[in-house]
Amino acid sequence: MSVSVRVRAAFVGLGIMGQAMALNLLRKPGGPEVELAVYNRTPARAEPLRAAGARVAASPREAAEGAEFVFTMVSDDAALRAVATGPEGFLAGVAAGSVIVDHSTVSRALTLELAREAAARGAAWCDAPVTGGDVGAREGSLTIMVGGPQEAFRRALPLLEKTGRRILHVGATGQGQALKAVSNMVSCLTLMASAEGIQLGLRAGLSLEALAEVMQHGSAASYELDKMLARFAREGYRPGFSVANRFKDLELALALARELGQPVPLASAAEPPYRSWREAHGELDESSYILALGADHPRPQE
């Protein structure tokens, strides 16, 4: 007769990604059962978790108190610092021996700073950014790249398997964020190149169908191209993953490159045009960048 393992966990940050991941911690079969406390700055985002059986906490600290694992998924450095530090931050509530798993995409510098604060309280910090988007978050099929102590990763793995399909331990604390920055830089450049290619083809009189048929089945094929063609064809730009978030990720990659003295000329050239689009339409899906290059679908030349 098997004995069910039950763990106490907290999840801080219930945006598009975090809400879906927290629901998978509660609902996905296999692995330990999870007794979950959640916190979100906008309380309404916590209601689906409450309905699923989670306890809604009044602060990040309250959510973390008594938790063996604290998961976070927030938008940027400022948001992570806000929920982690101070008298009501989750670091004030963590117990010695707990594991913090930060799924946010933030700077390596902040990750190392907060990891030191966690260590001073006897807790381990794993930076575990994800890729796979809102669909992967809902389906529990994310790719998760984890930096942190090997033992903390081993302990967290059964819970990570509820939210991810490909889970990699990539090195010491901070290396998860480094890998995410590199991956996001490449995908951002691919997205922008896809937009330029599609609009150039349309301007040349090619049909969107012909562009898709060749580009999606040749050397131009990519996830970003597929997403852009699908969004452009139906003119649907509700995020998804927003322009503002994509720009933030590009900035993180550029900051890492400056820190390491690594030239990244293409990423550097991409920053000004994407910044302009962010300032105008930061709330749209990232693939809307194609509209910055021409919103119309030119008719093929006769």
Side-chain angles (χ1 to χ4, degrees):
M1 177 177 173
S2 62
V3 178
S4 177
V5 176
R6 190 171 183 86
V7 301
R8 297 184 306 277
F11 207 110
V12 176
L14 302 173
I16 292 173
M17 299 289 288
Q19 186 186 89
M21 295 170 73
L23 284 168
N24 277 327
L25 282 177
L26 282 174
R27 294 173 172 172
K28 195 168 182 180
E33 294 182 24
V34 179
E35 180 182 321
L36 190 66
V38 299
Y39 170 80
N40 194 70
R41 184 176 59 181
T42 305
R45 296 290 303 175
E47 288 309 307
L49 274 300
R50 189 196 301 275
R55 175 174 62 85
V56 178
S59 69
R61 175 176 181 164
E62 182 184 316
E65 288 174 342
E68 301 162 73
F69 300 91
V70 178
F71 295 88
T72 63
M73 177 54 120
V74 296
S75 58
D76 54 26
D77 280 34
L80 181 59
R81 189 182 295 280
V83 297
T85 63
E88 294 304 316
F90 63 75
L91 285 173
V94 295
S98 61
V99 177
I100 299 164
V101 180
D102 178 34
H103 290 301
S104 315
T105 298
V106 295
S107 68
R108 187 166 69 163
L110 179 61
T111 292
L112 296 175
E113 174 191 331
L114 296 179
R116 287 191 293 269
E117 295 188 29
R121 297 175 182 271
W125 187 287
C126 291
D127 51 305
V130 306
T131 187
D134 55 318
V135 174
R138 290 193 301 272
E139 296 179 349
S141 60
L142 295 166
T143 294
I144 308 176
M145 57 216 84
V146 185
Q150 181 71 47
E151 176 60 16
F153 170 73
R154 183 195 66 77
R155 288 176 56 200
L157 184 58
L159 295 179
L160 294 173
E161 288 173 339
K162 290 178 176 288
T163 58
R165 183 173 296 159
R166 182 178 288 106
I167 304 162
L168 307 171
H169 184 247
V170 300
T173 304
Q175 292 300 83
Q177 297 297 351
L179 180 50
K180 183 65 188 298
V182 170
S183 178
N184 280 353
M185 183 184 76
V186 173
S187 64
C188 181
L189 297 177
T190 304
L191 176 140
M192 297 177 76
S194 297
E196 291 185 13
I198 292 166
Q199 286 291 19
L200 178 61
L202 292 173
R203 186 61 56 88
L206 296 165
S207 70
L208 191 63
E209 293 75 15
L211 288 164
E213 182 65 24
V214 171
M215 294 173 72
Q216 289 182 297
H217 297 90
S219 59
S222 73
Y223 170 86
E224 296 293 350
L225 174 68
D226 290 348
K227 177 180 180 179
M228 183 160 285
L229 283 166
R231 292 275 188 159
F232 191 49
R234 69 174 190 267
E235 298 181 54
Y237 295 105
R238 176 183 177 184
F241 193 71
S242 71
V243 172
N245 278 329
R246 173 58 74 189
F247 180 75
K248 180 261 296 186
D249 290 350
L250 178 59
E251 291 283 272
L252 289 173
L254 290 170
L256 180 64
R258 288 192 296 271
E259 175 189 332
L260 300 176
Q262 173 63 43
V264 284
L266 291 179
S268 298
E271 196 266 0
Y274 210 80
R275 177 189 292 275
S276 295
W277 191 245
R278 187 281 308 266
E279 290 171 352
H281 298 290
E283 78 287 355
L284 298 180
D285 186 80
E286 58 173 344
S287 59
S288 67
Y289 177 72
I290 192 170
L291 304 180
L293 306 172
D296 297 331
H297 297 248
R299 296 178 61 84
Q301 294 178 351
E302 297 297 326

